Amino acid sequence: MSFYEIYSQHKNGRIYEPETRELAYLLSHEAESRLEELAQKANELTVSNFGRTIQLYTPLYLSNYCDNSCLYCGFSANNKIDRRALSPEEVEGEARFISSTGLRHVLILTGESRSMSPVSYIKDCVGILRKYFVSISIEVYSLTGDEYSELISEGVDGLTIYQEVYDEETYKRMHPVGPKNDYRIRLDAPERGARAGMRSVNIGALLGLGDWRREAFLLGLHAKYLQDSFPDVEISASLPRIRPQVSGFKAEHEVSDENLVQIILALRLFLPRIGITLSTRERPELRENLVPLGITRMSAGSTTHVGGHTIGHEDDDLAFQFEISDPRSVEEIKAMLSKKGYQPVLKDWMRI
């Protein structure tokens, strides 16, 4: 059974397994009164499975060309922003700067344009980056299984791809034009990547596009499906909330800090071995408070500009994907984690 079939069963009210009921309860109004108790259990599970460690990485934006008109994204084809793709020399400059911070994990991103940032371009960039990093993950447009295999052969070992919103009708409305409009191709991408041999797969829902309880429920089911189907692949989930960008799009569904806490706790208790990623979309004090609740991976020293680590952006101040909330450097994040009794991990495996 594919995950789309599982989604369809839920949509039609036909999922009643005990585990499903557990996740539904953890995300329910009733569970809100037990958050402190659930937080203690989530902390114990996280320390048991991951220790007091947080893996650090940073995003590297290669290009912002895009063929889609996603309503919530600063890179949308509808937005009048300066567009560019990094040259090989610029990619190398970004790699040198990021690696100088000690980070050995990097996430590379592009806008979703096959013509302006084709697979061949991504492969060339990976060829440069593998000299500096032991782990290279991609967050690009949906690829075929063969294309994922090509990139794995070049040195990619991780895939990040968000469904954005699991509700199919909302998904169509949020992606009116462009290849990303195809819900099923997007939904099946994590499975294609895992089957091709990705070491890690990170999925997520953009919180604020749909009802957060339903979205978190389907995200949990999706993560469980991937864990059960690919036991050798590290499965993780991200919980990004909508942030300001040039179009001025506002979240249609409020997701409070308390709601975010409940989602994190529910995922940790439902899936004790899942990785949970927390980005710089969240403000510093909140990120610090969320660490003990189940977080295993954080971004640091982030920018959402193309080449934002080394190239000035005085002339294209609007050409970012979204505003970040936590601008702290890698050193500042390391110091914060150490003060809280956590070990910041800059490298956790070795490419053979």
Side-chain angles (χ1 to χ4, degrees):
M1 179 183 292
S2 70
F3 182 72
Y4 184 75
E5 291 171 307
I6 294 174
Y7 163 78
S8 298
Q9 285 189 1
H10 167 72
K11 186 177 179 181
N12 295 322
R14 294 201 301 269
I15 293 183
Y16 300 103
E17 290 88 347
E19 289 179 328
T20 302
R21 292 196 191 100
E22 175 195 3
L23 179 58
Y25 170 74
L26 291 169
L27 292 167
S28 69
H29 290 286
E30 290 78 6
E32 290 177 358
S33 63
R34 297 181 57 206
L35 291 188
E36 188 172 342
E37 172 194 345
L38 298 178
Q40 179 64 34
K41 292 181 179 179
N43 176 263
E44 292 171 359
L45 277 173
T46 307
V47 172
S48 175
N49 284 284
F50 297 92
R52 296 177 66 85
T53 64
I54 300 289
Q55 185 194 94
L56 298 182
Y57 73 98
T58 203
L60 193 173
Y61 281 76
L62 299 176
S63 72
N64 60 359
Y65 292 103
C66 197
D67 299 331
N68 298 307
S69 297
C70 309
L71 302 186
Y72 51 82
C73 183
F75 290 172
S76 168
N78 291 337
N79 294 336
K80 305 302 181 185
I81 62 173
D82 291 334
R83 308 279 178 173
R84 66 172 300 159
L86 296 182
S87 68
E89 294 75 20
E90 290 169 331
V91 173
E92 187 119 30
E94 286 279 292
R96 286 197 197 97
F97 177 86
I98 295 170
S99 66
S100 73
T101 68
L103 291 178
R104 293 296 177 264
H105 290 248
V106 69
L107 170 67
I108 59 175
L109 303 93
T110 68
E112 300 207 3
S113 174
R114 278 185 171 272
S115 59
M116 301 305 293
S117 50
V119 173
S120 58
Y121 170 73
I122 299 170
K123 287 173 64 176
D124 290 343
C125 292
V126 171
I128 297 169
L129 295 171
R130 66 180 301 173
K131 295 184 294 183
Y132 297 88
F133 304 101
V134 299
S135 177
I136 302 170
S137 296
I138 56 168
E139 186 174 344
V140 301
Y141 45 87
S142 301
L143 302 179
T144 67
D146 288 343
E147 289 170 330
Y148 284 129
S149 295
E150 282 185 56
L151 290 175
I152 291 168
S153 297
E154 193 63 37
V156 170
D157 65 281
L159 169 64
T160 288
I161 188 161
Y162 301 157
Q163 187 60 25
E164 314 293 13
V165 59
Y166 282 91
D167 180 79
E168 196 165 2
E169 289 72 27
T170 304
Y171 184 94
K172 292 289 186 180
R173 182 165 55 83
M174 291 294 160
H175 307 94
V177 177
K180 195 172 175 178
N181 178 261
D182 192 315
Y183 179 90
R184 183 67 186 273
I185 286 180
R186 186 80 176 185
L187 188 68
D188 291 344
E191 186 170 354
R192 291 196 299 275
R195 187 173 292 111
M198 289 289 179
R199 183 179 67 92
S200 63
V201 173
N202 181 46
I203 60 175
L206 183 54
L207 300 174
L209 298 182
D211 174 80
W212 69 265
R213 295 182 198 275
R214 187 168 185 272
E215 289 296 307
F217 179 82
L218 289 167
L219 174 62
L221 291 190
H222 195 182
K224 184 180 187 305
Y225 169 82
L226 292 170
Q227 276 195 343
D228 292 347
S229 301
F230 304 98
D232 295 333
V233 179
E234 295 178 9
I235 304 299
S236 58
S238 291
L239 304 168
R241 290 192 286 186
I242 290 172
R243 291 286 299 150
Q245 44 85 18
V246 63
S247 78
F249 179 86
K250 304 292 185 184
E252 296 189 352
H253 297 263
E254 181 182 357
V255 184
S256 68
D257 291 352
E258 187 176 68
N259 299 153
L260 183 60
V261 166
Q262 187 170 358
I263 296 170
I264 293 169
L265 298 179
L267 287 178
R268 171 57 65 233
L269 294 171
F270 180 61
L271 297 169
R273 294 184 298 103
I274 195 174
I276 300 179
T277 302
L278 187 63
S279 80
T280 50
R281 288 175 181 262
E282 303 301 338
R283 62 191 188 278
E285 61 273 22
L286 180 61
R287 293 226 297 168
E288 293 182 22
N289 290 333
L290 293 177
V291 166
L293 303 185
I295 304 304
T296 60
R297 191 166 180 256
M298 298 176 72
S299 51
S302 298
T303 172
T304 64
H305 279 95
V306 175
H309 297 281
T310 58
I311 299 173
H313 292 278
E314 294 81 3
D315 298 329
D316 60 349
D317 284 343
L318 298 179
F320 53 82
Q321 190 178 30
F322 57 85
E323 286 184 7
I324 64 172
S325 293
D326 187 351
R328 288 177 293 179
S329 68
V330 174
E331 283 302 314
E332 289 173 310
I333 296 295
K334 286 169 58 181
M336 176 273 291
L337 291 172
S338 296
K339 186 176 180 180
K340 293 180 72 69
Y342 283 78
Q343 178 187 356
V345 177
L346 284 72
K347 172 183 174 181
D348 72 348
W349 83 299
M350 194 70 177
R351 183 190 297 120
I352 298 176

